[in-house]
Amino acid sequence: MNLDNLPTLKGANVTGKRVLVRADLNVPVLDGKVRDSTRLKRLLPCLKTLSANGARVIILSHFGRPKGQYDPKMSLKAIADELTRLFGKPVQFVSDCTGPSVKQAVKRLHEGSILLLENLRFNTGEEENNPHFVEALAQLGDIYVNNAFSAAHRAHASTEGLAHKLPKYAGPLMLEEINALRIALDKPQRPTVAIVGGSKISNKIHLLTNILRKVDNLIIGGGMANTFLLAKGFNVGVSLAELNLKNIALEILSNAESFGCRVVLPIDVVIAKSFEASTAHRDVSINSIGDDDIILDVGPQSVKYMKEILKNSRTLLWNGPLGAFEIDPFGAGTFELAQVAADLTKAGYLNTIAGGGDTVAALNKAGVTSDFTYVSTAGGAFLEWLEGRELPGVAALI
């Protein structure tokens, strides 16, 4: 894909136009109340710009996995209420996404007003990318704006189909996500380093294979590091490891060497006898792991070495924690390295791009999310981009 050809809203005439905005409104809702409005706040600049320029804005989104059936727990009504509160002006809501009631609601819109349609996935046509459903949505608008990078890895009616029916644009949040990833992977300041953690290699084989071609240093942590250590002949006790992927791990190490990418594995680890909070634990060299030990975090010597790599780098891409950060005290390695990355970012020495559910949770727990250059909330789309895959929702815009 030639991403330089992405059409943007800059200079687009939206006054009086019906603008369909594909957003991602998947936020935690409990008892009809939004519990985390981060994604909604990131949508606001797009809505405010369109509204201020006289567009008649119609927001499209899915929510959860209702499998084509109406489920009141997955209605977007609560989201409309929260958007109204955040926006400071009414965000209207209609309890369907196609049909006469929706057409009437759209017809009543004034310039600058905003309407949110009901959960698209209440209709089976959304996930099927059904041409009839695509056409029904297209009839509601004059312009299509995809502002949901986090849903761009799905070829659904509202993420891919609509782009072939109407004049199309990438929204500001879509552009933010893509530009951040391009900074990290395509146009980085060097030297570059990637931190890839998480529990299993099997979940990130394609990511690792693609990324080692792009970076100068690759730090591997979390449970997946155990498989690499095992492949190199170290005892990992009863730690999480994938015995059947030892050859894959060795192949990744060999490929990294051929591409000139230095792979950094832990040189010491924090071990315990059980996986529970505040259990007895100690730091040991990777040569001293016992048969009944569980590796739960990287050790202080590893963190010290990794910090030096960060200090000598100019671009950091982070996906996945280095240990079991959810349970105290096994987040120490992740949190310490995150703090160093944040400090270097604030000092202007390091571009830091991070993404993935566990990564965002770990950075939030470390209290450094706002200090990173960019933190993606895209989840699956972020991971597939790192794997080098073409995202249907992005490709359809070009």
Side-chain angles (χ1 to χ4, degrees), residues 137-159:
L137 292 176
Q139 289 177 7
L140 302 174
D142 304 303
I143 290 172
Y144 169 69
V145 176
N146 193 339
N147 203 40
F149 178 81
S150 51
H153 59 313
R154 305 298 186 208
H156 292 171
S158 66
T159 59

Side-chain angles (χ1 to χ4, degrees), residues 5 51 57 64 82 106 127 143 151 166 197 237 261 277 281 299 320 342 383 392 396 398:
N5 288 339
S51 177
V57 183
E82 181 66 6
V106 170
E127 293 186 83
I143 290 172
L166 297 170
C261 172
H281 59 279
L383 291 176
I398 299 174

